[in-house]
């Protein structure tokens, strides 16, 4: 199998994007070929989520049909309804008697102040964007950078974006993948320079191949210059594995993967961000030692997510309405 360095290297996961260029916002949908185990971990102080309570290990529903990441703040929560509509047309969903209810958790990021036209009137575009993203979902390669939920994203000093990566798990036959929409209050580079915090984890020059600087810049740990607006920033992520996990184990995987955000963004998990990490397990590869193997999965997921963050910003292009440079302009 040719590795694409995308979350879609995990068999059974399809990804689609849809954008509204006028409003400078978009949606990314992850549609699963069958229901998969899913959990979530929320670390940011300003999250916006849909149906995350049912991901608790004690909840009745054990698997989900899709996940949605969207711009638009609270308005973007409508995107999940569009994905639900698409899945219902396909006959998908949790069986309740003779009715099927698609299970589609989601999370949103804040991009309402990025300069796009948000005067959409009574009906925000996100429900239709969600439907279009689900319809466009495909396995294999998909676009990165200023697409989908990453279209209107930003960081402290650079245009944000949509990133993805994958890797084998050392010592196991399982693999992990990550997808992330980077809209962080912090920086993903060391100060104002081009070197990524995630540089130690880079593979094959996937985000520029600069490595670490010879000397850490004086401004590497400086506070972001942006005016702090609570809830106005968020990094949304999904990590996936083909390992067989319970919901409780998937929760532990999501917790471990949050370290990937802390390794790639400075600062991360602030009261100003709504950082959310979902974890999905397709169940194809059984674990041997449930404790030791889960630890290996968590370490690999964190490293893969850190790479995906840098890849998303590296791939992003300038948004005309947003006065922030793309990484390639540094």
């Amino acid at each position: 199998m040719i590795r694409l360095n995308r979350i879609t290297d995990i068999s059974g996961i399809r990804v689609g994007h849809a954008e509204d260029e006028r409003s400078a916002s978009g949606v990314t949908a992850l549609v699963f070929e069958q229901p998969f185990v899913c959990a979530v971990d929320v670390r940011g102080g300003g999250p916006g989520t849909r149906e995350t309570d049912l991901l608790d290990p004690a909840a009745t529903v054990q698997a989900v049909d899709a996940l949605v990441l969207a711009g638009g703040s609270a308005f973007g929560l409508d995107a999940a309804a569009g994905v639900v509509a698409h899945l219902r047309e396909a006959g998908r969903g949790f069986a309740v008697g003779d009715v099927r209810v698609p299970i589609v958790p989601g999370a949103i990021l804040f991009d309402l102040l990025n300069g796009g036209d948000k005067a959409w009137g009574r009906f925000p575009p996100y429900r239709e964007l969600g439907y279009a993203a689900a319809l466009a979902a495909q396995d294999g390669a998909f676009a990165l950078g200023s697409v989908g939920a990453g279209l209107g994203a930003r960081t402290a000093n650079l245009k944000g974006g949509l990133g993805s990566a994958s890797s084998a798990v050392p010592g196991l036959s399982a693999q992990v993948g990550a997808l992330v929409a980077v809209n962080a209050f912090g920086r993903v580079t060391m100060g104002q320079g081009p070197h990524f915090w995630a540089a130690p984890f880079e593979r094959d020059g996937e985000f520029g191949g600069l490595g670490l600087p010879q000397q850490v810049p004086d401004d590497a740990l400086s506070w972001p210059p942006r005016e702090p607006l609570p809830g106005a920033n968020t990094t949304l992520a999904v990590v996936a594995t083909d390992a067989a996990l319970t919901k409780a184990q998937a929760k532990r995987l999501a917790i471990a993967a949050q370290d990937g955000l802390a390794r790639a963004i400075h600062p991360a998990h602030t009261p100003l961000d709504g950082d959310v990490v979902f974890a999905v397990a397709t169940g194809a590869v059984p674990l041997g030692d449930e404790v030791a193997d889960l630890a290996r999965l968590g370490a690999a997921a964190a490293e893969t997510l850190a790479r995906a963050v840098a890849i998303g910003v590296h791939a992003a292009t300038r948004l005309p309405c947003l006065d922030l440079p793309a990484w390639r302009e540094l």
Side-chain angles (χ1 to χ4, degrees), residues 144-181:
L144 302 176
S146 299
V147 295
L151 176 63
R154 60 181 295 174
T155 71
N157 60 321
L158 293 171
K159 176 70 180 67
L162 194 290
S164 190
S166 70
S167 64
V169 180
L172 300 180
S173 56
Q175 57 184 337
V176 296
L179 181 145
V180 60

PDB file of all heavy atoms in Angstrom, residues 144-181:
ATOM      1  N   LEU A 144      -4.883  19.956   1.388  1.00  0.00           N
ATOM      2  CA  LEU A 144      -4.433  20.479   2.668  1.00  0.00           C
ATOM      3  C   LEU A 144      -4.284  21.990   2.577  1.00  0.00           C
ATOM      4  O   LEU A 144      -4.311  22.573   1.497  1.00  0.00           O
ATOM      5  CB  LEU A 144      -3.092  19.853   3.054  1.00  0.00           C
ATOM      6  CG  LEU A 144      -3.017  18.327   3.159  1.00  0.00           C
ATOM      7  CD1 LEU A 144      -1.594  17.890   3.465  1.00  0.00           C
ATOM      8  CD2 LEU A 144      -3.983  17.810   4.204  1.00  0.00           C
ATOM      9  N   GLY A 145      -4.119  22.621   3.725  1.00  0.00           N
ATOM     10  CA  GLY A 145      -3.872  24.060   3.748  1.00  0.00           C
ATOM     11  C   GLY A 145      -5.135  24.871   3.923  1.00  0.00           C
ATOM     12  O   GLY A 145      -5.934  24.631   4.837  1.00  0.00           O
ATOM     13  N   SER A 146      -5.349  25.834   3.031  1.00  0.00           N
ATOM     14  CA  SER A 146      -6.490  26.747   3.134  1.00  0.00           C
ATOM     15  C   SER A 146      -7.720  26.145   2.469  1.00  0.00           C
ATOM     16  O   SER A 146      -8.223  26.626   1.452  1.00  0.00           O
ATOM     17  CB  SER A 146      -6.130  28.101   2.516  1.00  0.00           C
ATOM     18  OG  SER A 146      -5.040  28.672   3.203  1.00  0.00           O
ATOM     19  N   VAL A 147      -8.209  25.080   3.069  1.00  0.00           N
ATOM     20  CA  VAL A 147      -9.365  24.344   2.553  1.00  0.00           C
ATOM     21  C   VAL A 147     -10.238  23.924   3.726  1.00  0.00           C
ATOM     22  O   VAL A 147      -9.791  23.869   4.874  1.00  0.00           O
ATOM     23  CB  VAL A 147      -8.941  23.089   1.752  1.00  0.00           C
ATOM     24  CG1 VAL A 147      -8.177  23.465   0.496  1.00  0.00           C
ATOM     25  CG2 VAL A 147      -8.096  22.156   2.626  1.00  0.00           C
ATOM     26  N   GLY A 148     -11.494  23.615   3.433  1.00  0.00           N
ATOM     27  CA  GLY A 148     -12.393  23.086   4.449  1.00  0.00           C
ATOM     28  C   GLY A 148     -12.413  23.945   5.700  1.00  0.00           C
ATOM     29  O   GLY A 148     -12.472  25.177   5.641  1.00  0.00           O
ATOM     30  N   ALA A 149     -12.365  23.282   6.856  1.00  0.00           N
ATOM     31  CA  ALA A 149     -12.382  24.005   8.124  1.00  0.00           C
ATOM     32  C   ALA A 149     -11.165  24.887   8.303  1.00  0.00           C
ATOM     33  O   ALA A 149     -11.162  25.783   9.156  1.00  0.00           O
ATOM     34  CB  ALA A 149     -12.485  23.008   9.279  1.00  0.00           C
ATOM     35  N   GLY A 150     -10.118  24.660   7.513  1.00  0.00           N
ATOM     36  CA  GLY A 150      -8.918  25.472   7.610  1.00  0.00           C
ATOM     37  C   GLY A 150      -8.914  26.695   6.719  1.00  0.00           C
ATOM     38  O   GLY A 150      -7.945  27.469   6.747  1.00  0.00           O
ATOM     39  N   LEU A 151      -9.968  26.918   5.931  1.00  0.00           N
ATOM     40  CA  LEU A 151      -9.963  28.025   4.982  1.00  0.00           C
ATOM     41  C   LEU A 151      -9.733  29.368   5.669  1.00  0.00           C
ATOM     42  O   LEU A 151      -8.862  30.145   5.281  1.00  0.00           O
ATOM     43  CB  LEU A 151     -11.282  28.068   4.199  1.00  0.00           C
ATOM     44  CG  LEU A 151     -11.431  29.259   3.246  1.00  0.00           C
ATOM     45  CD1 LEU A 151     -10.372  29.221   2.151  1.00  0.00           C
ATOM     46  CD2 LEU A 151     -12.825  29.304   2.633  1.00  0.00           C
ATOM     47  N   GLY A 152     -10.511  29.672   6.680  1.00  0.00           N
ATOM     48  CA  GLY A 152     -10.414  30.966   7.346  1.00  0.00           C
ATOM     49  C   GLY A 152      -9.582  30.948   8.603  1.00  0.00           C
ATOM     50  O   GLY A 152      -9.607  31.909   9.378  1.00  0.00           O
ATOM     51  N   ALA A 153      -8.825  29.870   8.822  1.00  0.00           N
ATOM     52  CA  ALA A 153      -8.073  29.714  10.066  1.00  0.00           C
ATOM     53  C   ALA A 153      -6.829  30.597  10.092  1.00  0.00           C
ATOM     54  O   ALA A 153      -6.272  30.955   9.056  1.00  0.00           O
ATOM     55  CB  ALA A 153      -7.672  28.253  10.252  1.00  0.00           C
ATOM     56  N   ARG A 154      -6.360  30.909  11.309  1.00  0.00           N
ATOM     57  CA  ARG A 154      -5.182  31.737  11.487  1.00  0.00           C
ATOM     58  C   ARG A 154      -4.410  31.270  12.718  1.00  0.00           C
ATOM     59  O   ARG A 154      -4.922  30.500  13.540  1.00  0.00           O
ATOM     60  CB  ARG A 154      -5.577  33.204  11.661  1.00  0.00           C
ATOM     61  CG  ARG A 154      -6.469  33.461  12.858  1.00  0.00           C
ATOM     62  CD  ARG A 154      -6.864  34.917  12.996  1.00  0.00           C
ATOM     63  NE  ARG A 154      -5.706  35.761  13.259  1.00  0.00           N
ATOM     64  CZ  ARG A 154      -5.757  37.098  13.302  1.00  0.00           C
ATOM     65  NH1 ARG A 154      -6.902  37.727  13.071  1.00  0.00           N
ATOM     66  NH2 ARG A 154      -4.684  37.796  13.551  1.00  0.00           N
ATOM     67  N   THR A 155      -3.176  31.724  12.841  1.00  0.00           N
ATOM     68  CA  THR A 155      -2.412  31.567  14.068  1.00  0.00           C
ATOM     69  C   THR A 155      -1.964  32.961  14.496  1.00  0.00           C
ATOM     70  O   THR A 155      -2.350  33.954  13.893  1.00  0.00           O
ATOM     71  CB  THR A 155      -1.191  30.635  13.874  1.00  0.00           C
ATOM     72  OG1 THR A 155      -0.214  31.308  13.065  1.00  0.00           O
ATOM     73  CG2 THR A 155      -1.601  29.331  13.197  1.00  0.00           C
ATOM     74  N   ALA A 156      -1.128  33.026  15.514  1.00  0.00           N
ATOM     75  CA  ALA A 156      -0.712  34.329  16.022  1.00  0.00           C
ATOM     76  C   ALA A 156      -0.007  35.161  14.973  1.00  0.00           C
ATOM     77  O   ALA A 156      -0.173  36.389  14.920  1.00  0.00           O
ATOM     78  CB  ALA A 156       0.194  34.148  17.240  1.00  0.00           C
ATOM     79  N   ASN A 157       0.777  34.521  14.117  1.00  0.00           N
ATOM     80  CA  ASN A 157       1.595  35.277  13.170  1.00  0.00           C
ATOM     81  C   ASN A 157       1.480  34.810  11.729  1.00  0.00           C
ATOM     82  O   ASN A 157       2.035  35.444  10.836  1.00  0.00           O
ATOM     83  CB  ASN A 157       3.068  35.216  13.588  1.00  0.00           C
ATOM     84  CG  ASN A 157       3.611  33.794  13.625  1.00  0.00           C
ATOM     85  OD1 ASN A 157       2.917  32.878  14.045  1.00  0.00           O
ATOM     86  ND2 ASN A 157       4.844  33.612  13.201  1.00  0.00           N
ATOM     87  N   LEU A 158       0.784  33.714  11.485  1.00  0.00           N
ATOM     88  CA  LEU A 158       0.713  33.146  10.149  1.00  0.00           C
ATOM     89  C   LEU A 158      -0.697  32.671   9.835  1.00  0.00           C
ATOM     90  O   LEU A 158      -1.495  32.402  10.742  1.00  0.00           O
ATOM     91  CB  LEU A 158       1.663  31.953  10.015  1.00  0.00           C
ATOM     92  CG  LEU A 158       3.167  32.231  10.087  1.00  0.00           C
ATOM     93  CD1 LEU A 158       3.926  30.913  10.167  1.00  0.00           C
ATOM     94  CD2 LEU A 158       3.630  33.051   8.896  1.00  0.00           C
ATOM     95  N   LYS A 159      -0.990  32.538   8.544  1.00  0.00           N
ATOM     96  CA  LYS A 159      -2.236  31.913   8.119  1.00  0.00           C
ATOM     97  C   LYS A 159      -2.280  30.476   8.624  1.00  0.00           C
ATOM     98  O   LYS A 159      -1.314  29.718   8.489  1.00  0.00           O
ATOM     99  CB  LYS A 159      -2.302  31.923   6.585  1.00  0.00           C
ATOM    100  CG  LYS A 159      -3.508  31.216   5.990  1.00  0.00           C
ATOM    101  CD  LYS A 159      -4.786  31.983   6.249  1.00  0.00           C
ATOM    102  CE  LYS A 159      -5.985  31.242   5.640  1.00  0.00           C
ATOM    103  NZ  LYS A 159      -6.273  29.965   6.291  1.00  0.00           N
ATOM    104  N   GLY A 160      -3.374  30.092   9.258  1.00  0.00           N
ATOM    105  CA  GLY A 160      -3.566  28.718   9.694  1.00  0.00           C
ATOM    106  C   GLY A 160      -4.057  27.857   8.547  1.00  0.00           C
ATOM    107  O   GLY A 160      -4.210  28.321   7.414  1.00  0.00           O
ATOM    108  N   GLY A 161      -4.330  26.584   8.843  1.00  0.00           N
ATOM    109  CA  GLY A 161      -4.775  25.711   7.768  1.00  0.00           C
ATOM    110  C   GLY A 161      -5.137  24.328   8.244  1.00  0.00           C
ATOM    111  O   GLY A 161      -5.125  24.032   9.439  1.00  0.00           O
ATOM    112  N   LEU A 162      -5.448  23.481   7.276  1.00  0.00           N
ATOM    113  CA  LEU A 162      -5.870  22.103   7.491  1.00  0.00           C
ATOM    114  C   LEU A 162      -4.696  21.188   7.191  1.00  0.00           C
ATOM    115  O   LEU A 162      -4.144  21.213   6.087  1.00  0.00           O
ATOM    116  CB  LEU A 162      -7.065  21.797   6.579  1.00  0.00           C
ATOM    117  CG  LEU A 162      -7.947  20.558   6.764  1.00  0.00           C
ATOM    118  CD1 LEU A 162      -7.224  19.274   6.411  1.00  0.00           C
ATOM    119  CD2 LEU A 162      -8.522  20.492   8.149  1.00  0.00           C
ATOM    120  N   GLY A 163      -4.281  20.372   8.163  1.00  0.00           N
ATOM    121  CA  GLY A 163      -3.144  19.477   7.986  1.00  0.00           C
ATOM    122  C   GLY A 163      -3.497  18.036   8.288  1.00  0.00           C
ATOM    123  O   GLY A 163      -4.468  17.754   8.995  1.00  0.00           O
ATOM    124  N   SER A 164      -2.703  17.124   7.761  1.00  0.00           N
ATOM    125  CA  SER A 164      -2.909  15.703   8.023  1.00  0.00           C
ATOM    126  C   SER A 164      -1.588  14.972   7.894  1.00  0.00           C
ATOM    127  O   SER A 164      -0.694  15.384   7.147  1.00  0.00           O
ATOM    128  CB  SER A 164      -3.943  15.105   7.050  1.00  0.00           C
ATOM    129  OG  SER A 164      -4.304  13.795   7.436  1.00  0.00           O
ATOM    130  N   ALA A 165      -1.455  13.873   8.632  1.00  0.00           N
ATOM    131  CA  ALA A 165      -0.249  13.043   8.587  1.00  0.00           C
ATOM    132  C   ALA A 165      -0.606  11.646   9.057  1.00  0.00           C
ATOM    133  O   ALA A 165      -1.671  11.417   9.649  1.00  0.00           O
ATOM    134  CB  ALA A 165       0.857  13.640   9.461  1.00  0.00           C
ATOM    135  N   SER A 166       0.283  10.697   8.803  1.00  0.00           N
ATOM    136  CA  SER A 166       0.090   9.330   9.285  1.00  0.00           C
ATOM    137  C   SER A 166       1.441   8.708   9.579  1.00  0.00           C
ATOM    138  O   SER A 166       2.478   9.207   9.129  1.00  0.00           O
ATOM    139  CB  SER A 166      -0.675   8.480   8.260  1.00  0.00           C
ATOM    140  OG  SER A 166       0.142   8.232   7.117  1.00  0.00           O
ATOM    141  N   SER A 167       1.426   7.627  10.327  1.00  0.00           N
ATOM    142  CA  SER A 167       2.664   6.917  10.616  1.00  0.00           C
ATOM    143  C   SER A 167       2.372   5.520  11.129  1.00  0.00           C
ATOM    144  O   SER A 167       1.292   5.253  11.685  1.00  0.00           O
ATOM    145  CB  SER A 167       3.503   7.679  11.657  1.00  0.00           C
ATOM    146  OG  SER A 167       2.816   7.750  12.888  1.00  0.00           O
ATOM    147  N   ALA A 168       3.331   4.625  10.918  1.00  0.00           N
ATOM    148  CA  ALA A 168       3.284   3.317  11.555  1.00  0.00           C
ATOM    149  C   ALA A 168       3.627   3.494  13.029  1.00  0.00           C
ATOM    150  O   ALA A 168       4.281   4.464  13.421  1.00  0.00           O
ATOM    151  CB  ALA A 168       4.266   2.366  10.879  1.00  0.00           C
ATOM    152  N   VAL A 169       3.183   2.562  13.855  1.00  0.00           N
ATOM    153  CA  VAL A 169       3.467   2.628  15.283  1.00  0.00           C
ATOM    154  C   VAL A 169       4.623   1.681  15.587  1.00  0.00           C
ATOM    155  O   VAL A 169       4.497   0.467  15.400  1.00  0.00           O
ATOM    156  CB  VAL A 169       2.229   2.234  16.114  1.00  0.00           C
ATOM    157  CG1 VAL A 169       2.543   2.312  17.602  1.00  0.00           C
ATOM    158  CG2 VAL A 169       1.047   3.131  15.767  1.00  0.00           C
ATOM    159  N   PRO A 170       5.755   2.192  16.021  1.00  0.00           N
ATOM    160  CA  PRO A 170       6.908   1.338  16.310  1.00  0.00           C
ATOM    161  C   PRO A 170       6.559   0.216  17.290  1.00  0.00           C
ATOM    162  O   PRO A 170       5.932   0.455  18.320  1.00  0.00           O
ATOM    163  CB  PRO A 170       7.924   2.300  16.925  1.00  0.00           C
ATOM    164  CG  PRO A 170       7.556   3.632  16.371  1.00  0.00           C
ATOM    165  CD  PRO A 170       6.058   3.621  16.257  1.00  0.00           C
ATOM    166  N   GLY A 171       6.920  -0.996  16.922  1.00  0.00           N
ATOM    167  CA  GLY A 171       6.669  -2.142  17.788  1.00  0.00           C
ATOM    168  C   GLY A 171       5.311  -2.772  17.631  1.00  0.00           C
ATOM    169  O   GLY A 171       5.023  -3.801  18.255  1.00  0.00           O
ATOM    170  N   LEU A 172       4.444  -2.182  16.796  1.00  0.00           N
ATOM    171  CA  LEU A 172       3.102  -2.723  16.588  1.00  0.00           C
ATOM    172  C   LEU A 172       2.838  -2.859  15.098  1.00  0.00           C
ATOM    173  O   LEU A 172       3.496  -2.232  14.269  1.00  0.00           O
ATOM    174  CB  LEU A 172       2.048  -1.800  17.210  1.00  0.00           C
ATOM    175  CG  LEU A 172       2.100  -1.526  18.715  1.00  0.00           C
ATOM    176  CD1 LEU A 172       0.966  -0.595  19.100  1.00  0.00           C
ATOM    177  CD2 LEU A 172       2.036  -2.817  19.507  1.00  0.00           C
ATOM    178  N   SER A 173       1.815  -3.612  14.740  1.00  0.00           N
ATOM    179  CA  SER A 173       1.381  -3.698  13.351  1.00  0.00           C
ATOM    180  C   SER A 173       0.312  -2.665  13.043  1.00  0.00           C
ATOM    181  O   SER A 173      -0.168  -2.589  11.915  1.00  0.00           O
ATOM    182  CB  SER A 173       0.852  -5.096  13.032  1.00  0.00           C
ATOM    183  OG  SER A 173      -0.202  -5.453  13.919  1.00  0.00           O
ATOM    184  N   ALA A 174      -0.048  -1.867  14.038  1.00  0.00           N
ATOM    185  CA  ALA A 174      -1.060  -0.822  13.859  1.00  0.00           C
ATOM    186  C   ALA A 174      -0.424   0.457  13.318  1.00  0.00           C
ATOM    187  O   ALA A 174       0.794   0.633  13.331  1.00  0.00           O
ATOM    188  CB  ALA A 174      -1.760  -0.541  15.182  1.00  0.00           C
ATOM    189  N   GLN A 175      -1.267   1.359  12.851  1.00  0.00           N
ATOM    190  CA  GLN A 175      -0.820   2.671  12.404  1.00  0.00           C
ATOM    191  C   GLN A 175      -1.758   3.739  12.955  1.00  0.00           C
ATOM    192  O   GLN A 175      -2.858   3.435  13.437  1.00  0.00           O
ATOM    193  CB  GLN A 175      -0.766   2.735  10.878  1.00  0.00           C
ATOM    194  CG  GLN A 175      -2.062   2.419  10.175  1.00  0.00           C
ATOM    195  CD  GLN A 175      -1.920   2.415   8.657  1.00  0.00           C
ATOM    196  OE1 GLN A 175      -1.018   3.021   8.105  1.00  0.00           O
ATOM    197  NE2 GLN A 175      -2.820   1.730   7.983  1.00  0.00           N
ATOM    198  N   VAL A 176      -1.307   4.978  12.893  1.00  0.00           N
ATOM    199  CA  VAL A 176      -2.123   6.100  13.357  1.00  0.00           C
ATOM    200  C   VAL A 176      -2.134   7.178  12.283  1.00  0.00           C
ATOM    201  O   VAL A 176      -1.218   7.273  11.459  1.00  0.00           O
ATOM    202  CB  VAL A 176      -1.604   6.694  14.684  1.00  0.00           C
ATOM    203  CG1 VAL A 176      -1.706   5.692  15.805  1.00  0.00           C
ATOM    204  CG2 VAL A 176      -0.177   7.200  14.534  1.00  0.00           C
ATOM    205  N   GLY A 177      -3.173   7.979  12.290  1.00  0.00           N
ATOM    206  CA  GLY A 177      -3.278   9.125  11.401  1.00  0.00           C
ATOM    207  C   GLY A 177      -3.849  10.297  12.167  1.00  0.00           C
ATOM    208  O   GLY A 177      -4.454  10.125  13.235  1.00  0.00           O
ATOM    209  N   ALA A 178      -3.651  11.489  11.642  1.00  0.00           N
ATOM    210  CA  ALA A 178      -4.163  12.692  12.291  1.00  0.00           C
ATOM    211  C   ALA A 178      -4.640  13.681  11.241  1.00  0.00           C
ATOM    212  O   ALA A 178      -4.094  13.745  10.134  1.00  0.00           O
ATOM    213  CB  ALA A 178      -3.084  13.343  13.154  1.00  0.00           C
ATOM    214  N   LEU A 179      -5.660  14.428  11.597  1.00  0.00           N
ATOM    215  CA  LEU A 179      -6.164  15.535  10.791  1.00  0.00           C
ATOM    216  C   LEU A 179      -6.434  16.686  11.739  1.00  0.00           C
ATOM    217  O   LEU A 179      -6.971  16.480  12.835  1.00  0.00           O
ATOM    218  CB  LEU A 179      -7.424  15.127  10.039  1.00  0.00           C
ATOM    219  CG  LEU A 179      -8.057  16.178   9.134  1.00  0.00           C
ATOM    220  CD1 LEU A 179      -8.666  15.526   7.893  1.00  0.00           C
ATOM    221  CD2 LEU A 179      -9.130  16.980   9.865  1.00  0.00           C
ATOM    222  N   VAL A 180      -6.074  17.918  11.336  1.00  0.00           N
ATOM    223  CA  VAL A 180      -6.199  19.044  12.253  1.00  0.00           C
ATOM    224  C   VAL A 180      -6.496  20.326  11.494  1.00  0.00           C
ATOM    225  O   VAL A 180      -5.975  20.555  10.405  1.00  0.00           O
ATOM    226  CB  VAL A 180      -4.910  19.195  13.093  1.00  0.00           C
ATOM    227  CG1 VAL A 180      -3.700  19.428  12.203  1.00  0.00           C
ATOM    228  CG2 VAL A 180      -5.026  20.288  14.132  1.00  0.00           C
ATOM    229  N   ALA A 181      -7.375  21.135  12.081  1.00  0.00           N
ATOM    230  CA  ALA A 181      -7.631  22.491  11.597  1.00  0.00           C
ATOM    231  C   ALA A 181      -6.999  23.444  12.600  1.00  0.00           C
ATOM    232  O   ALA A 181      -7.428  23.510  13.759  1.00  0.00           O
ATOM    233  CB  ALA A 181      -9.127  22.752  11.474  1.00  0.00           C
TER     234      ALA A 181
END
